[in-house]
Amino acid sequence: MPASEYRIVASTRRKELKTRLWMAGVLGAIAYMVAPGWTPAVWYAAVLLTQLIDVIVFAPARASDDDWRPSPGFRIAAIASALITTLVYSASGAYMWLYGGEVGKLFAMMQFAGGLLHVCLHMHPRRDILLAAMLAHGGYLLGMPIYEAFAQARPVMAVAAVAGVLYLAHLAVAVRQSSETNRALREAERESREAAVRAEKASAAKSEFLAVISHEIRTPMNAVISAANLLRPTRLTRAQREHVRMLSEAGDILMGLLNDVLDFSKIEAGKMELESIVFDPREKLEALGRMWRPRAEAKGVALELEIAADLPTAVRGDALRLQQILFNLLSNAVKFTDQGTIRVEARWAEDMLSVVVRDSGCGIAADRLDHIFASFEQADAGTTRRYGGTGLGLAISQRLAQLMGGGLTVSSTPGQGSTFTLQARLSAAEPVEAETVMAPAVEVESLDGLRILAAEDHPVNQRILSLLLEPMGCRLTLASNGAEAAALAESAVFDVIVLDMQMPVMDGLDAARRIRAQTGPNAGAPIIALTANALDNHRQAWAEVDAFAFLTKPIDPQALAATLGAARGSARAAKSVWQAA
Ligand code: ADP
């Protein structure tokens, strides 16, 4: 790469300019002391001038990028400048040689040798420039003794020239070796850069694969869970009810796993974005206590909750993600504790929420403590057999806590229990009712005769929609993609439009935009978004097309019925209601 070779030479020359000028001052002073006169001063001025020209000549190379191609003019100017600067620089040595007596000669030889060493070290990436500089210094090194041998008739001086040749030979070997070492280094550097890029690509491909697979599994999983939900209220024998319960539970566990894998791949890909809403942390903690206390007590373990009095009642942050972390910590505490107490303490200091979850469970061995936050790591191999889990929960929780400007740490004594400390930066806020509303508190109206247009590409999900809606008296028209739905909305009249997000041909968002742009009867119809992708940016995108509500899959029959009722009730609701499943 000529560009980088020139750049290295040019920037090293620039970097060492000060040292060269300073050294030239010392050399000039010594030359003056050894052989007083005007010459050293004139020489120093010449050094200044030639060094200045050199800085200007090499400027394009210093500012170059890798695509830069040196012009023939630049190449010649660079070689000429290197030759002239070195010729001028070493001229003080020639002066010393000629007028400084034996000491001057000795000093001059050392100066020429030093100059050669100097240029070899910093010009070796460009052979042509190096040769020009060596020619100047080497010319003096060999030329001065030879001149003296002939002109002053002192043949013994030829020995000094031979010493100079030997020195040059040593230098040549050293330069070759250092060039090879440098080339090997550059090669290794290039290879490691390429390896890093390959590793990054592989990791991105893995995350992408995980995201796609978990999404693909979620769709049929939604169908399984929805089917179980549909079965539950029907007439069942005791054994059948038990089977449905197993189906539901297994479905929920699988869904949790899939969500973990999705979260993890999002974090890995740097795509995890946190929401910022106003919520009551106290209420979240108490709800968590209500949820886990019965499960702990069923195992004979007490669950104590202590919330500091100064914990604000309204803070701004990502409530769902905070709950996810706390849920994980409590789920682990309950899972790994068979006796004693689980204690949750929440404190508040300078916009930092600290929650300590302390249990009297089995604890974690010291050598495993560092590993439990790594992905897919469990404290010991028997954990999965005994307790299940993937070892993703803590990895996700810790990264989420870090994204929240805090962290998650652990201390543990095997046999005595573990203490997890969560810290999350949240800002105290004014309580805002609207922002904390998550579910619409709307009267469910009768759905009898409700005309619904639903776009859903998956046949199983289509079937579930009709199984859910038709018994409620809804008149359901199904479209298998967004384009079909938009075409249907042109002519027939519908009370509500339900759109899946990801569909072939045209996705739900595009369909919504197309329907909103129509002049037909449904341009203002309430649109309910239905999706397996509960991402925050999706909510935003749906809000932009003025969707009435946002429901996540698996479809919760009650939530769907309530939302449809609310949609009918408000016809074109003045205010959108957002629901998180
Ligand atoms: P998992 O889904 O396996 O629970 P986690 O990432 O939540 O994954 O936990 C990783 C491992 O850390 C667990 O398998 C367990 O071995 C250990 N661990 C987590 N919490 C506790 C606890 N409170 N007591 C003992 N061990 C725990």
Side-chain angles (χ1 to χ4, degrees), residues 213-285:
I213 284 293
S214 47
H215 184 264
E216 287 307 308
I217 301 175
R218 263 159 67 126
T219 305
M221 214 40 234
N222 284 330
V224 172
I225 294 175
S226 302
N229 284 342
L230 280 169
L231 261 181
R232 204 178 295 137
T234 59
R235 274 178 171 278
L236 297 173
T237 64
R238 179 195 285 260
Q240 284 169 333
R241 194 161 308 136
E242 179 60 18
H243 296 159
V244 170
R245 196 180 58 80
M246 276 163 55
L247 253 179
S248 283
E249 279 179 9
D252 287 344
I253 291 173
L254 260 175
M255 214 57 192
L257 277 177
L258 288 173
N259 287 336
D260 272 1
V261 172
L262 252 184
D263 276 355
F264 188 73
S265 46
K266 254 194 287 176
I267 291 175
E268 285 271 276
K271 289 193 179 140
M272 174 63 82
E273 280 175 24
L274 294 182
E275 276 196 359
S276 172
I277 62 160
V278 176
F279 66 97
D280 180 355
R282 213 169 256 285
E283 195 242 318
K284 299 283 175 222
L285 285 158

Side-chain angles (χ1 to χ4, degrees), residues 31 34-35 90-112 140-149 152 154 157-158 160-161:
V34 175
S90 270
S92 73
Y95 172 78
M96 298 269 279
W97 179 286
L98 294 174
Y99 305 108
E102 291 304 305
V103 171
K105 288 188 179 48
L106 201 64
F107 192 90
M109 284 299 268
M110 298 293 270
Q111 187 188 329
F112 301 143
Y140 284 117
L141 183 75
L142 305 183
M144 294 317 291
I146 291 172
Y147 164 79
E148 180 137 348
Q152 312 281 323
R154 289 182 69 190
M157 269 297 167

Side-chain angles (χ1 to χ4, degrees), residues 19 76 140 144 213 276 295 407 432 437 440 449 453 494 499 510 518 569:
T19 320
I76 293 167
Y140 284 117
M144 294 317 291
I213 284 293
S276 172
R295 301 187 200 192
V432 180
V437 171
L453 168 63
F494 297 102
L499 296 174
D510 279 340
Q518 288 170 358

Side-chain angles (χ1 to χ4, degrees), residues 328 332-333 335-336 359 362-364 372 377-379 383 388-394 418 420:
N328 192 250
N332 279 340
K335 189 153 71 170
F336 296 106
D359 66 55
C362 61
I364 304 161
I372 59 167
E377 285 273 352
Q378 296 187 322
T383 306
T390 51
L392 267 181
L394 286 176
S418 316
F420 284 85

